[in-house]
Amino acid sequence: MRVLVVDHPLVAHKLTVLRDKDTPSPVFRLLTEELVTLLAYEATRNVRVEPVNIETPVTSTIGTGLVKPTPLVVPILRAGLGMLEGMTRLVPTAEVGFLGMARNEETLEAITYAERLPDDLTGRQVFVLDPMLATGGTLREAIKFLFNRGAAEIVCICLLGAPEGLSVLEEELADANVTIVLASIDERLDEKAYIVPGLGDAGDRLYGVVH
Ligand SMILES: O=P(O)(O)OC[C@H]1O[C@H](OP(=O)(O)OP(=O)(O)O)[C@H](O)[C@@H]1O
Ligand SMILES: O=c1cc[nH]c(=O)[nH]1
Ligand SMILES: [Mg+2]
């Protein structure tokens, strides 16, 4: 498993506005999309491509095309849905599948409540979108699910990660073909397993409080 923190002043600036508790939901949504596009630029560095023959108005040449089937993008509902536009802006031909997962806030166990994915992911490159990697329980389950379907490579794009959750994934997925791309690794988790300094509950800030 590899971990890549995208070190760029625009990422840091947008993340700072996102963290601010007074940033309203419409701005939060817009910034999330913008940030994901910046992170996706790095996260897709090893997207699978192949040479293609094309005709320019002047001559024949060899260019670069995405290998088919194109990458599968999997936002983890709810909060990951806020990242989808930012990702597909960069890779418009990507296929999209969905995983609905929620963390039980008492036991911290990740529950999968919805799934809409191709049955067979054999050999596929998959990009998972979830803004928050806290205890790592949600991503661990999502990654396990996708490998069980046959995925060959998984790249997770997150906004924030906690050292605790990253350690769990690094231990369990040491030899797996997994890359985690983040805007920041924050300090720690608090007693409710929220990321500190964090940005609060990403799903609630994008879409409102569910309870
Ligand atoms: O690393 P973990 O400790 O598992 O926590 C991270 C998960 O928590 C949040 O989702 P949440 O359960 O709040 O669902 P939501 O997106 O519907 O708000 C977040 O979007 C991750 O999926
Ligand atoms: O800080 C956190 C932790 C889990 N889920 C969130 O949305 N935020
Ligand atoms: Mg939530």
Side-chain angles (χ1 to χ4, degrees), residues 6 11 34-44 83 90 157-159 181-183:
V6 177
V11 169
E34 290 176 4
L35 263 168
V36 172
T37 303
L38 293 173
L39 298 182
Y41 181 73
E42 289 297 339
T44 52
M83 302 170 77
L90 207 64
I157 304 181
C158 305
L159 298 182
V181 179
L182 306 118

Side-chain angles (χ1 to χ4, degrees), residues 30 33-35 37 83-92:
L30 205 66
E33 287 178 18
E34 290 176 4
L35 263 168
T37 303
M83 302 170 77
L84 183 58
E85 275 290 317
M87 182 69 189
T88 52
R89 192 166 296 145
L90 207 64
V91 194

